[in-house]
Amino acid sequence: MSFQSIVHLSLDSPAHAICVQDMEIYLDVNGCAPQQCKSFTVDSSPGVVVQIYGTDPVKIGEEAAMNRWPLSHPTNVLVGMASPSSANDKGKVSVSYYQHSEDVPVATAVLYLTSIELSLDVDVYRSGHFETNDKQAKKNWVWGPKGWGAILLVNCSPADAHQLVGRKSKVFSTEETKSLSQMILRVQGSSCILKKCRVVLHTSKEESEKARVYRPQKDSSSTFELVLGPDQHTYNLAPVEDDLEETFYVEALEFPSTSFSGLISYSASLVEESADPSIPETVVYKDTVVFRVAPCVFVPSTQMPLEVYLCRELQVQGFVNTVMELSERSNIQVASVYEDPNRLGRWLQDEMAFCYTQAPHKTISLVLDTPRLPKLDDFPMKYSLSPGVGYMTQRTQDHTVASIDSIGNLMVSPPVKAQGKEYPLGRILIGSSFYPSKDCRNLSKTLRDFLYAQQVQAPVELFSDWLMIGHAYEFMCFIPAQYKVEDKKDFRLLLASPSSCYKLFKEKQKEGYGDAHLFEGIRKDQLLSNGREANTINQLLADENMRKQNDYAEKCIDLNRSILKRELGLEEQDIIDIPQLFCLERIANIPSSEQTEKLYARPYFPDLLQMIVMGQNLGIPKPFGPQINGTCCLEEKIRQLLEPLGFQCTFINDFDCYLTEIGDFCSCANIRRVPFAFKWWRMVP
C-alpha cells in the first residue's frame, strides 16, 4: 500500500492508503462509478474527516439519511484522519453509487486508511514552543512585528575553528547547547506500517555547507553525533518500530552574504520501501521547516559599554592608565590585549569590530576581525576574549598599509527615522572614495556585500578617502544625550569643524592672546618627527596655505554633513560642531612601492573627534591647544559644548599615541557594548 495525494477507488476490491496527519487525500469518485449511476454518497467511520465541495447536493427528498452528490458535476472529496492509528486500516470510507430516484445503491467502493503522524517542528513563533498546526507557517520566514520563523545562531566560538574537520561527533558544554536551535522530529502510528518505512532527514547540498545538525548520543549527555553538515546532506534514521520523538540541535556556520540569503530548510521524509526489490521506494510524506541565520548586528557608541579591551603597549601606557581610570569611574570591566607582532599598531580598532548576533533563546557578543595579513591563520586576539565572547574572521582583499578595506572603516548610527522609514537598529556608515580615481581607496566588494547582506542596518556610504587613515571616525562621533529634550533626538552627532576652530582662534587673537603657542609641553624631537611646529595663534591664522587645506577639509565634511542629515533624518540642532584643524600630507610609514603623489588630510593637532565614549564619561585626546591663562582654549571650548549636556570630559595626554606610527589612540582600544533592546526580527528591512 502507498500514500497518494489522489486515491483511485475500485469496485472490485477495497483500496488502502497511508494518511499522514494534517494531509488531505483526494478521492477519485468518478473513475469507478457505474455508467448508469447519477449520484453518490460518502460515509466514514469515527476519526475520519470528510470534506465535499464544488457543487450542491442533489435534492432527493426529506427522508434521505445522507446527502447525495451529483456525478455530472466536478466534485472534490477530501478525506483525512484526526489522530494517528494504533493499528492498520482503522479508518474506513465508503462511497456508494445510486441510479436516478433509487434508494438502494448499485455499488459501493471502500477505502481503508491508516493514519501516521510525521512532524518536524521548530520554534516557529519564537515562544519556546515546538508544535504548530500550521504546516505552511514553518515552511516560510516572515519579517516584522507580526512575523514568524525559526532562527539559527552562527557558531562563533574561538575554539571551534576547524574542530570538526574529519570528525563525526562533538562535545558540547551545557552553556554551549543554549546557543543551538532545536528541531524536534515526531513519528507516531501503527508499528506494522512504521516497520515498512524509514525516516530520512535531509537538506540541499548547498545548504548543508551553511549549518550543522547534531543528535545527542544516547550513552552521553555531552557528546553529540554530527548527522547533517558539509558534505553530508542526508541522514537515515534507524528503522522506526514504535512511536518516536527526537530532538536535533542546529548551528549555523556562516552569516548571510550575497551568495547566501540566510535561509536554510530541513525536511523529514517518510519513505515506504517496497517488498519487491524491482519496485523503487516511495516517498509517503515530507515535512519541511525553514530557519533564518541571525545577522551580525553592529552597535553604536551611544550604547552603554560592557567591557573595554586595551592594547598594553609601553608607548601608550599613559593612554592605558587614563582609560582604566575612566572604566573604573564608569564601572566597566577592562580586558588586556597584548600587541600582535604580526599586525600594525592600530589593529585593535582598525581591523576589528564588536558586534552581536541574537536569537530568542540566546544573544552572543562577538568580534568580527578583518585582518590585513593574507596568510596568517591564527590571531592572538581571540585568546584575549572574555568567556562567552565569540570570534569570526572576514578576509579582506586590499592588504596595503594605507588600505581602508577593514571593519574599522565603519561606524553605526543610533536608531533613526529618515525619509519616512524607521531604522530601529541604526544604520551602518561606510567610508569610501565616492568616485574612481588613480589612487582611490574603498572597502572591498566582499566586505561591502557582507555588510549589505545582514539587511537590518541599511548601510550609508560617506566620503572618507580624503583622510589619511580614511575612516569616518576621524571627522565624526555619536554621543548619547544625557537629558531628554522634547522634539530632539536622544543622541548628538559631533562633526569636525575647521571653521569653528578658526573662529575660536580669531576670538583669542582679538582678546590679545595671538602669541599663545600650540603644542606647549611637547618635546622638539616629537614635533619634528611629526612635521609640526609650536606655532602661535598669529602664525597659524596668517598661514594661507593652511587655510586653503582646511577649506578643502571643510568642503569634504560639509558633503558628509548633507548626506548624514538626509540619510539619518537629522536637523542642525542634532549636530554639534567641534573645533578641529587638518593639514594635507603624504602617507608616511609605508613602503615606497605603496607611496602615491596624492595628499591626504591628517589632524593638525590630536583629533578631538576620536574620543572614547563611555556613557556620560568621554575620554578625549588632549589637543595641546594654545594656553590661555593656564587653560587650553580648545579643551575649554569642548567643555563649554558638552558638559552642559551632562558629559564629563577627560582629556588624555599621550601625544605619541596618535601622531606616530602607532596610529590614532582610539585604535589602541575597543569597546564591547550592550546590544539593542529591539529585536532584529521585528523590523522589516
Side-chain angles (χ1 to χ4, degrees):
M1 69 183 72
S2 65
F3 172 86
Q4 297 176 334
S5 58
I6 299 176
V7 171
H8 301 282
L9 299 175
S10 171
L11 299 178
D12 299 326
S13 61
H16 299 263
I18 297 174
C19 179
V20 180
Q21 263 194 277
D22 298 320
M23 284 294 293
E24 296 171 331
I25 298 175
Y26 174 82
L27 298 187
D28 176 12
V29 296
N30 289 79
C32 68
Q35 188 172 1
Q36 69 273 26
C37 291
K38 303 297 182 183
S39 62
F40 68 94
T41 61
V42 180
D43 190 18
S44 63
S45 62
V48 177
V49 179
V50 179
Q51 300 178 66
I52 303 174
Y53 60 93
T55 187
D56 295 326
V58 177
K59 294 182 179 180
I60 55 174
E62 297 180 359
E63 297 181 0
M66 61 182 67
N67 287 330
R68 291 190 192 177
W69 303 87
L71 288 165
S72 57
H73 294 81
T75 305
N76 295 307
V77 180
L78 302 177
V79 298
M81 294 191 70
S83 60
S85 303
S86 58
N88 287 7
D89 298 338
K90 289 288 287 185
K92 181 181 179 181
V93 179
S94 299
V95 179
S96 299
Y97 297 94
Y98 295 83
Q99 291 183 339
H100 183 66
S101 300
E102 293 293 333
D103 294 331
V104 179
V106 172
T108 299
V110 176
L111 167 66
Y112 289 103
L113 297 171
T114 303
S115 179
I116 289 177
E117 177 189 8
L118 173 70
S119 66
L120 192 61
D121 292 309
V122 292
D123 188 6
V124 175
Y125 298 110
R126 306 157 190 156
S127 61
H129 299 292
F130 292 84
E131 292 186 24
T132 176
N133 294 322
D134 190 344
K135 294 284 185 179
Q136 294 303 313
K138 60 185 180 181
K139 294 180 182 180
N140 297 284
W141 207 97
V142 180
W143 292 90
K146 296 182 179 179
W148 63 84
I151 295 170
L152 279 184
L153 290 175
V154 173
N155 180 353
C156 304
S157 173
D160 257 12
H162 314 301
Q163 182 179 351
L164 264 167
V165 176
R167 295 174 55 181
K168 296 299 182 182
S169 65
K170 180 178 176 181
V171 176
F172 284 98
S173 68
T174 302
E175 188 62 30
E176 286 174 328
T177 58
K178 295 178 182 178
S179 301
L180 305 176
S181 296
Q182 295 182 30
M183 182 166 63
I184 300 176
L185 174 66
R186 296 182 178 92
V187 183
Q188 186 179 356
S190 167
S191 59
C192 295
I193 295 295
L194 293 177
K195 288 178 181 178
K196 298 177 182 179
C197 299
R198 60 187 173 90
V199 178
V200 182
L201 193 65
H202 57 98
T203 185
S204 68
K205 288 183 179 180
E206 295 76 15
E207 290 174 326
S208 70
E209 302 292 324
K210 311 300 182 184
R212 296 191 188 110
V213 180
Y214 304 91
R215 67 184 296 187
Q217 291 187 353
K218 294 181 179 179
D219 57 349
S220 173
S221 61
S222 58
T223 303
F224 289 68
E225 175 192 0
L226 176 66
V227 298
L228 293 177
D231 300 320
Q232 187 175 344
H233 68 283
T234 64
Y235 177 74
N236 291 294
L237 277 80
V240 180
E241 297 184 359
D242 205 347
D243 294 350
L244 170 72
E245 179 171 319
E246 185 155 357
T247 301
F248 295 86
Y249 295 84
V250 192
E251 65 178 5
L253 299 179
E254 63 181 75
F255 286 105
S257 63
T258 49
S259 60
F260 172 44
S261 68
L263 295 176
I264 301 176
S265 63
Y266 291 100
S267 298
S269 290
L270 186 66
V271 178
E272 184 183 10
E273 297 177 323
S274 173
D276 186 343
S278 66
I279 303 300
E281 62 190 17
T282 306
V283 177
V284 176
Y285 178 70
K286 183 174 77 170
D287 199 18
T288 300
V289 297
V290 171
F291 288 96
R292 181 178 290 279
V293 176
C296 189
V297 183
F298 297 89
V299 186
S301 57
T302 51
Q303 292 293 106
M304 287 300 296
L306 288 172
E307 189 176 29
V308 180
Y309 285 77
L310 287 174
C311 186
R312 294 286 185 112
E313 285 296 282
L314 292 177
Q315 60 263 52
V316 297
Q317 195 57 46
F319 164 76
V320 169
N321 293 339
T322 306
V323 173
M324 290 187 70
E325 292 174 9
L326 278 175
S327 302
E328 290 178 10
R329 192 187 306 166
S330 304
N331 196 27
I332 300 165
Q333 181 178 336
V334 177
S336 297
V337 179
Y338 290 90
E339 180 57 53
D340 186 338
N342 297 294
R343 305 171 83 163
L344 296 175
R346 62 173 185 261
W347 60 276
L348 187 56
Q349 178 166 317
D350 273 11
E351 298 181 19
M352 295 187 178
F354 276 101
C355 45
Y356 70 92
T357 186
Q358 186 176 53
H361 57 277
K362 188 71 179 287
T363 299
I364 300 174
S365 293
L366 69 137
V367 166
L368 187 65
D369 191 356
T370 54
R372 288 190 176 97
L373 297 171
K375 298 181 180 179
L376 195 61
D377 290 326
D378 200 24
F379 302 99
M381 174 63 187
K382 70 183 184 183
Y383 303 111
S384 303
L385 297 171
S386 297
V389 178
Y391 178 88
M392 296 285 285
T393 57
Q394 180 77 27
R395 294 290 183 173
T396 58
Q397 296 176 358
D398 185 351
H399 308 298
T400 59
V401 174
S403 164
I404 64 174
D405 184 20
S406 69
I407 204 69
N409 185 23
L410 69 80
M411 298 180 68
V412 185
S413 80
V416 293
K417 180 178 180 180
Q419 303 178 67
K421 183 169 178 58
E422 299 274 358
Y423 299 94
L425 300 176
R427 303 189 70 176
I428 290 173
L429 307 175
I430 303 172
S432 72
S433 66
F434 262 34
Y435 65 95
S437 65
K438 177 184 176 183
D439 300 317
C440 67
R441 300 170 298 169
N442 283 299
L443 218 58
S444 67
K445 186 176 186 299
T446 301
L447 188 52
R448 181 192 304 269
D449 288 347
F450 172 82
L451 297 173
Y452 276 89
Q454 306 313 301
Q455 297 194 68
V456 296
Q457 295 176 298
V460 176
E461 296 198 27
L462 300 175
F463 178 44
S464 67
D465 192 30
W466 60 281
L467 292 155
M468 184 171 291
I469 294 178
H471 293 177
Y473 63 67
E474 294 180 80
F475 67 86
M476 60 179 290
C477 177
F478 292 102
I479 57 174
Q482 299 301 309
Y483 307 125
K484 303 297 182 184
V485 179
E486 189 176 354
D487 297 329
K488 279 196 172 186
K489 293 183 171 55
D490 56 3
F491 66 89
R492 298 291 180 271
L493 168 63
L494 309 184
L495 278 182
S497 174
S499 60
S500 294
C501 191
Y502 274 110
K503 180 181 178 181
L504 174 64
F505 287 173
K506 285 181 179 178
E507 290 174 356
K508 299 307 175 185
Q509 185 185 52
K510 289 181 180 179
E511 293 171 7
Y513 300 108
D515 292 329
H517 288 265
L518 279 77
F519 303 120
E520 280 196 20
I522 302 299
R523 300 192 315 271
K524 289 185 178 180
D525 63 306
Q526 289 177 293
L527 291 175
L528 184 63
S529 65
N530 287 283
R532 299 291 184 267
E533 296 180 4
N535 289 327
T536 65
I537 291 178
N538 288 335
Q539 289 172 321
L540 199 62
L541 293 177
D543 189 336
E544 289 298 324
N545 189 45
M546 183 72 168
R547 169 71 79 165
K548 290 178 182 178
Q549 293 179 13
N550 277 278
D551 286 344
Y552 164 74
E554 189 95 46
K555 287 180 181 178
C556 295
I557 295 169
D558 285 345
L559 170 62
N560 289 303
R561 188 190 199 100
S562 63
I563 295 171
L564 290 163
K565 289 173 69 174
R566 180 180 69 249
E567 298 296 336
L568 302 184
L570 302 180
E571 304 290 342
E572 279 298 324
Q573 63 182 1
D574 303 315
I575 301 172
I576 298 175
D577 290 317
I578 300 297
Q580 180 67 49
L581 293 183
F582 296 86
C583 58
L584 298 181
E585 301 175 0
R586 286 191 175 87
I587 298 177
N589 303 314
I590 64 173
S592 58
S593 60
E594 298 178 16
Q595 190 62 262
T596 69
E597 295 299 317
K598 183 176 178 179
L599 300 179
Y600 293 92
R602 184 184 184 192
Y604 182 71
F605 49 78
D607 192 347
L608 293 164
L609 278 299
Q610 294 193 33
M611 59 183 68
I612 294 177
V613 182
M614 298 186 188
Q616 67 178 12
N617 295 309
L618 305 178
I620 306 172
K622 185 175 180 63
F624 299 96
Q627 296 284 318
I628 310 297
N629 297 325
T631 301
C632 171
C633 64
L634 287 169
E635 290 185 25
E636 183 181 43
K637 182 64 175 179
I638 296 300
R639 293 187 190 277
Q640 291 173 356
L641 291 170
L642 300 181
E643 290 188 348
L645 302 178
F647 293 99
Q648 296 182 21
C649 300
T650 299
F651 291 92
I652 301 177
N653 183 352
D654 206 327
F655 188 82
D656 282 339
C657 196
Y658 36 72
L659 286 180
T660 63
E661 67 276 2
I662 296 173
D664 304 284
F665 83 53
C666 250
S667 302
C668 300
N670 212 326
I671 300 177
R672 182 166 68 93
R673 298 181 181 275
V674 174
F676 288 106
F678 185 89
K679 309 304 181 186
W680 63 265
W681 54 85
R682 294 182 58 83
M683 70 173 293
V684 179

